Amino acid sequence: MRTKIFTFILMLLYTATSAQSTQTVKGRITDDASKSVLPGVNVILLNATTVVGTVTDVNGYFKLTKIPVGRQSFKISYLGYEDQVISNVLVTTGKEVELNVNLVEKVNKINEVEIVYKRSSDKISTNNEMSTVSSRSFNLEDTKKYAGALGDPSRMAANFAGVSGANDSRNDIVVRGNSPEGMLWQMEGLNIPNPNHFGALSSTGGPVSMLNNNNLDKSDFMTGAFPAQYGNATAGVFDLKLRNGNTDKSEFVGQIGFNGFEFGAEGPFSKKSKASYLVNYRYSTLGVFKAMGINFGTGSAIPDYQDVNYKVFIPLNAKSKLSIFGIAGNSKVNFLGNEVDTTQTDLYGSENTNTKVKYATSITGVTFDHQLNSKINIKITAGLTTTAEQFNGDSISYITREEFPSGESKLTTNKWSANAIVSYKINAKNTLQFGMMNDLLQFDLYNARIVNGNIKNVRVDIEDENYLMQAYAQWKHRFTQKLSINTGIHNQYHSLSKATSVEPRVGLKYLVDARSSLSFAYGLHAQAQNIYSYYVITPTPNGIVYTNKDLDFTYSNHYVLAYDLSITEYTRIKVESYYQSLYNIPVTQNSSSFSAANIGSDFAPSNVDSLVNNGNATNIGVELTLERFFNKGFYYLLTTSVFDSKYKGSDGIERNTAFNTNYVVNALLGKEFKLGTKGDVLTLNLKVTQSGGRYLTPIDFAASSIAKEAVYDNDRAYSERQDPYFRTDFKFSYRKEMKKSTMEFAVDFQNLTNNKNVFRQSYNPETNSIVTEYQQGFFPVPMFRMTF
């Protein structure tokens, strides 16, 4: 009986794949600057045995049917615009392919010699045409293909030059030696809070991303000297775009992996309308992994989380469209000291404490996009984002194992946002853009430490609101086909501290020849402090005082020089050097080593009071990227960063920052192997990372023995260097094409060599010893996915 069933299944699979599998490829073509639609654009499938092509309709849409599955390339051409070739597009039977492409108008006249370099064909060119240096785009496939990325944009970005992960247990990223707090997250133009599960108010990362990569469209990532459009950040920018759901047919995806059980659906609301929906729901699978005996760094505790990502697209008419988008998620976990297994890796809990946490985040936005005419586009976005974070802690007697309350906190925020952007394309040489962003933040913050089980030492207790107003103007001018300039100015006003900033930005790009370019950019960037920091209480005989309330912006001068060489059509080398000078960093009024430059790599907020804007820091470095883009089934990416990150506290002593590793090297490569003639593929991906060891503040053993808790020798802050970090990840995946569906299976072997990388040092009062804790060891992550 079993033999017959097995034979029947094989027959079904053979029948499903015996015919040549094909799929539909469709999309929309628009002008890169004005965003106006382009009718009559030629779209041609390359390397086909017969000519396969079409032209866009009056609304800029095109559709190609019966495109063979596998890697396909398309040429897009239009009179007066640069041709664009989109190479190695993955076509599968389980989902239609949508290509939304922006074309760049030519600058040169017909009788002038045309420079071969074309921004529109640059394989990592950003959506934002104003970006000059230190930026690249990424898409859904990029978040999936790299070993160790787990479909997470942050973990993917940690492979790029100048970027490293804060630690294996979280996806915070360090950009050019800056604190992760210097990152800006945007979604569809809306400034959003930390988009991660267990994402604390005082950080920009977390253990698991809430972003579902199945919803992502082509997005931008920037690491410095970014355009005037972006503010309130000193390190980097994630500018996320969400794709629209399929407007012609319903499609579904089911997936199980490290990030959770997932189910997604998309499609049109009706056959008569181009309105569509896209929704993905996910629930955590870590309980299943725990039952399989896999330790993911939380000891005996099992994190629980769920989230939903969605977008609704409604075209109102030929020139106007409405989008509703958002994310909602919650997470919780209890680390119970009396249940800790000290033989297992536990990156969060301790046998001498209980930690119970809950988090919830929601992001809701509405965007109205109107094409006023062929030169002017207006985009208005309104949104509400909320965060909630709750903590309860106990200390456990290492003698009696009795539990005593040690702390509690409840931090909630509601942010109302209204943004507007006007883009005006004057002509092929000149583009102007103006924008305003207004964020009203309402918050209720409470945090207290409990001493001796009942005496509360309240650190923050405030319910208030304030707002941040931002405005910018930027201009792109193309002098010739070889020389262009992006320049602009950004302005901010923070109502709490009454601080105002005026931030000039400029970028120049010169095409040396058809294959190489030189670029320079400068930016002054300002960032307000974390809202928690402003309200840390300073107790005095006359009552409480908010000594941090008048803190100004922290500022950063960022200079970048870049050289880019296309060795071949699919291989490039890029060198960037940079210098960053930060000032107005909060430090203590009294002489100490403390600096806000070192905040942001963990869950805990800073409770330091009496801060002043007298600190400074510098980051200087050189980065190298050697990249072969995917072609003929093969890609590689080699990035090297050599840098130095230093700061000065109020004691005036120059020290290493908490994020100074001095170097980071990443080597990634991947190869696809075709199996048979029906489109089935086996893929192997490898990643090797090495970086210098971090500098830690040593524990004062004598003082810790007396206090029965860790006491750090802050006079020697960040003076002890750990061993270098080394990790190897390997991923294999198999993709099978059926008649109307695609099946994918993958296993990501993280830390393949089980290398012991130092996580931190702590003090154990039970053993009266300093303990070195290590990061995640060998960790296999399976994934199964069906699209249909």
Side-chain angles (χ1 to χ4, degrees):
M1 182 65 182
R2 291 181 179 177
T3 303
K4 291 181 179 180
I5 293 175
F6 182 68
T7 302
F8 177 68
I9 293 173
L10 288 178
M11 290 177 63
L12 285 177
L13 291 175
Y14 175 78
T15 303
T17 58
S18 58
Q20 174 65 56
S21 299
T22 62
Q23 186 55 277
T24 297
V25 176
K26 60 185 181 179
R28 198 181 200 192
I29 312 298
T30 57
D31 182 277
D32 186 59
S34 70
K35 309 306 177 186
S36 60
V37 299
L38 298 177
V41 178
N42 295 302
V43 183
I44 299 174
L45 173 67
L46 298 178
N47 304 317
T49 54
T50 59
V51 177
V52 178
T54 187
V55 296
T56 57
D57 63 18
V58 67
N59 294 315
Y61 290 104
F62 73 91
K63 178 183 286 189
L64 293 168
T65 59
K66 297 183 179 180
I67 302 300
V69 299
R71 299 281 178 176
Q72 303 293 350
S73 299
F74 302 87
K75 182 178 180 180
I76 301 172
S77 58
Y78 190 51
L79 183 64
Y81 283 74
E82 297 176 358
D83 294 348
Q84 183 167 348
V85 175
I86 305 176
S87 303
N88 295 291
V89 176
L90 180 59
V91 181
T92 67
T93 54
K95 178 168 178 48
E96 291 185 344
V97 177
E98 184 158 352
L99 300 176
N100 295 310
V101 181
N102 298 322
L103 291 185
V104 177
E105 188 175 0
K106 293 178 180 178
V107 171
N108 57 296
K109 306 298 183 182
I110 295 177
N111 60 349
E112 291 179 346
V113 177
E114 181 181 353
I115 302 299
V116 177
Y117 174 84
K118 301 169 184 176
R119 180 184 184 276
S120 57
S121 292
D122 189 335
K123 294 175 179 57
I124 58 172
S125 66
T126 55
N127 291 320
N128 193 323
E129 65 163 339
M130 301 289 183
S131 182
T132 306
V133 298
S134 305
S135 58
R136 64 179 293 156
S137 64
F138 65 93
N139 55 30
L140 164 63
E141 189 177 351
D142 293 326
T143 65
K144 291 170 55 180
K145 72 181 179 182
Y146 295 142
L150 300 176
D152 183 343
S154 292
R155 288 185 166 92
M156 172 210 66
N159 299 302
F160 300 152
V163 186
S164 61
N167 62 66
D168 291 348
S169 65
R170 297 168 55 88
N171 63 8
D172 308 77
I173 57 173
V174 175
V175 176
R176 294 177 171 172
N178 286 283
S179 162
E181 277 210 332
M183 288 295 302
L184 169 68
W185 286 91
Q186 277 195 356
M187 177 179 288
E188 296 289 332
L190 193 68
N191 295 332
I192 63 173
N194 186 343
N196 292 283
H197 287 297
F198 307 99
L201 179 65
S202 58
S203 69
T204 58
V208 181
S209 176
M210 285 200 307
L211 298 169
N212 193 307
N213 64 344
N214 293 316
N215 286 43
L216 285 179
D217 204 347
K218 179 183 176 183
S219 302
D220 293 344
F221 176 66
M222 307 175 191
T223 58
F226 28 87
Q229 179 176 341
Y230 307 104
N232 201 31
T234 54
V237 176
F238 269 110
D239 188 352
L240 304 173
K241 304 298 181 184
L242 303 178
R243 65 182 182 87
N244 298 329
N246 197 319
T247 57
D248 296 323
K249 59 179 290 190
S250 296
E251 295 177 327
F252 306 93
V253 59
Q255 180 173 317
I256 180 172
F258 171 79
N259 289 340
F261 294 100
E262 301 182 28
F263 180 75
E266 62 180 286
F269 284 104
S270 72
K271 294 182 179 180
K272 298 180 181 180
S273 169
K274 284 288 185 181
S276 66
Y277 67 91
L278 171 64
V279 61
N280 277 274
Y281 171 77
R282 173 172 52 190
Y283 187 81
S284 59
T285 53
L286 297 185
V288 176
F289 278 66
K290 180 66 66 176
M292 296 168 58
I294 299 175
N295 178 22
F296 36 83
T298 61
S300 59
I302 301 176
D304 182 86
Y305 54 85
Q306 60 182 327
D307 57 64
V308 62
N309 290 226
Y310 62 90
K311 184 177 182 182
V312 174
F313 172 73
I314 305 172
L316 303 176
N317 51 51
K319 291 188 175 182
S320 302
K321 53 190 177 183
L322 186 72
S323 298
I324 303 170
F325 60 91
I327 297 176
N330 58 59
S331 50
K332 61 182 179 180
V333 66
N334 295 330
F335 299 98
L336 304 179
N338 284 322
E339 296 181 6
V340 166
D341 183 351
T342 56
T343 66
Q344 292 186 348
T345 299
D346 193 335
L347 303 178
Y348 309 98
S350 164
E351 71 265 33
N352 298 312
T353 61
N354 291 334
T355 301
K356 305 170 187 177
V357 293
K358 294 180 180 180
Y359 298 86
T361 299
S362 70
I363 299 167
T364 305
V366 179
T367 295
F368 174 72
D369 191 307
H370 179 68
Q371 195 68 42
L372 191 63
N373 52 46
S374 62
K375 293 182 177 294
I376 301 177
N377 177 268
I378 301 172
K379 186 175 181 180
I380 300 172
T381 303
L384 169 64
T385 63
T386 69
T387 68
E389 177 182 342
Q390 185 173 332
F391 160 81
N392 293 97
D394 301 315
S395 60
I396 300 175
S397 170
Y398 61 90
I399 299 174
T400 66
R401 306 309 296 168
E402 187 177 358
E403 301 173 358
F404 301 93
S406 60
E408 59 186 16
S409 69
K410 188 174 182 180
L411 312 173
T412 61
T413 68
N414 297 309
K415 183 169 69 174
W416 302 85
S417 302
N419 305 339
I421 299 174
V422 178
S423 300
Y424 176 36
K425 179 181 177 181
I426 301 173
N427 51 41
K429 289 189 174 185
N430 295 280
T431 301
L432 290 172
Q433 189 177 90
F434 308 92
M436 292 185 64
M437 293 163 281
N438 299 282
D439 295 326
L440 171 65
L441 183 65
Q442 301 168 329
F443 48 89
D444 188 354
L445 311 177
Y446 175 80
N447 185 24
R449 183 179 181 184
I450 302 175
V451 183
N452 297 327
N454 58 13
I455 301 175
K456 292 187 177 182
N457 179 8
V458 178
R459 303 304 296 138
V460 168
D461 187 6
I462 185 71
E463 184 176 359
D464 202 352
E465 66 180 34
N466 59 52
Y467 59 88
L468 179 68
M469 297 178 62
Q470 302 179 70
Y472 71 90
Q474 53 189 8
W475 168 53
K476 179 171 185 175
H477 178 67
R478 301 162 75 188
F479 295 98
T480 66
Q481 190 84 351
K482 299 184 69 173
L483 180 63
S484 63
I485 183 172
N486 297 316
T487 187
I489 193 164
H490 189 98
N491 174 252
Q492 298 187 76
Y493 173 75
H494 191 210
S495 66
L496 175 61
S497 60
K498 306 297 189 293
T500 301
S501 70
V502 179
E503 308 158 36
R505 318 278 175 87
V506 63
L508 283 166
K509 186 168 187 176
Y510 176 70
L511 304 182
V512 179
D513 53 37
R515 298 189 303 128
S516 61
S517 66
L518 276 171
S519 303
F520 168 79
Y522 162 76
L524 176 62
H525 308 275
Q527 183 177 26
Q529 312 308 321
N530 185 283
I531 189 62
Y532 182 97
S533 299
Y534 289 106
Y535 292 97
V536 175
I537 291 172
T538 303
T540 70
N542 298 321
I544 63 173
V545 178
Y546 299 112
T547 53
N548 295 345
K549 200 170 182 179
D550 295 327
L551 285 173
D552 198 352
F553 291 109
T554 291
Y555 288 88
S556 164
N557 283 299
H558 207 149
Y559 306 83
V560 181
L561 180 64
Y563 175 70
D564 199 329
L565 171 65
S566 295
I567 302 172
T568 68
E569 181 181 358
Y570 293 97
T571 306
R572 79 161 38 175
I573 187 169
K574 186 173 186 177
V575 180
E576 287 198 334
S577 59
Y578 65 88
Y579 175 75
Q580 184 182 20
S581 172
L582 296 102
Y583 62 95
N584 263 29
I585 301 173
V587 295
T588 56
Q589 293 181 17
N590 298 324
S591 179
S592 79
S593 62
F594 173 85
S595 171
N598 299 309
I599 298 175
S601 65
D602 55 24
F603 301 92
S606 170
N607 288 309
V608 180
D609 59 13
S610 304
L611 298 178
V612 290
N613 293 103
N614 291 337
N616 58 69
T618 58
N619 297 307
I620 185 170
V622 178
E623 301 163 359
L624 170 69
T625 298
L626 175 62
E627 183 169 13
R628 173 192 164 95
F629 302 105
F630 193 96
N631 184 46
K632 296 182 179 179
F634 178 61
Y635 78 89
Y636 60 76
L637 173 65
L638 174 65
T639 63
T640 302
S641 306
V642 180
F643 66 98
D644 195 32
S645 179
K646 295 288 177 60
Y647 82 97
K648 288 183 180 180
S650 56
D651 59 6
I653 299 174
E654 186 176 66
R655 295 179 171 88
N656 297 292
T657 68
F659 312 105
N660 191 17
T661 62
N662 294 126
Y663 72 91
V664 181
V665 179
N666 293 296
L668 301 93
L669 59 89
K671 173 67 177 175
E672 280 190 356
F673 300 91
K674 294 182 179 179
L675 305 178
T677 60
K678 308 303 180 184
D680 298 350
V681 172
L682 174 68
T683 305
L684 304 179
N685 294 280
L686 178 69
K687 170 189 172 182
V688 179
T689 297
Q690 174 148 340
S691 68
R694 286 219 176 149
Y695 291 90
L696 302 180
T697 300
I699 293 176
D700 186 327
F701 179 71
S704 299
S705 298
I706 297 171
K708 298 302 179 183
E709 63 180 9
V711 177
Y712 293 89
D713 186 356
N714 290 312
D715 289 338
R716 298 168 57 208
Y718 308 108
S719 61
E720 287 193 356
R721 189 167 196 179
Q722 306 306 299
D723 293 335
Y725 174 97
F726 178 81
R727 172 169 155 170
T728 300
D729 297 331
F730 174 74
K731 176 182 178 181
F732 84 84
S733 59
Y734 170 68
R735 185 177 73 248
K736 183 171 184 60
E737 301 294 347
M738 303 180 191
K739 187 175 181 180
K740 293 184 178 181
S741 61
T742 300
M743 179 186 73
E744 298 174 74
F745 174 75
V747 180
D748 202 326
F749 298 100
Q750 299 194 354
N751 198 359
L752 188 65
T753 62
N754 199 32
N755 195 61
K756 286 190 173 184
N757 295 304
V758 174
F759 177 52
R760 64 186 175 194
Q761 288 186 328
S762 61
Y763 173 76
N764 188 327
E766 185 174 2
T767 60
N768 191 31
S769 61
I770 296 176
V771 180
T772 299
E773 301 175 54
Y774 296 94
Q775 302 200 51
Q776 181 66 56
F778 172 65
F779 183 26
V781 182
M783 186 280 294
F784 179 78
R785 171 186 167 99
M786 285 288 297
T787 53
F788 53 97

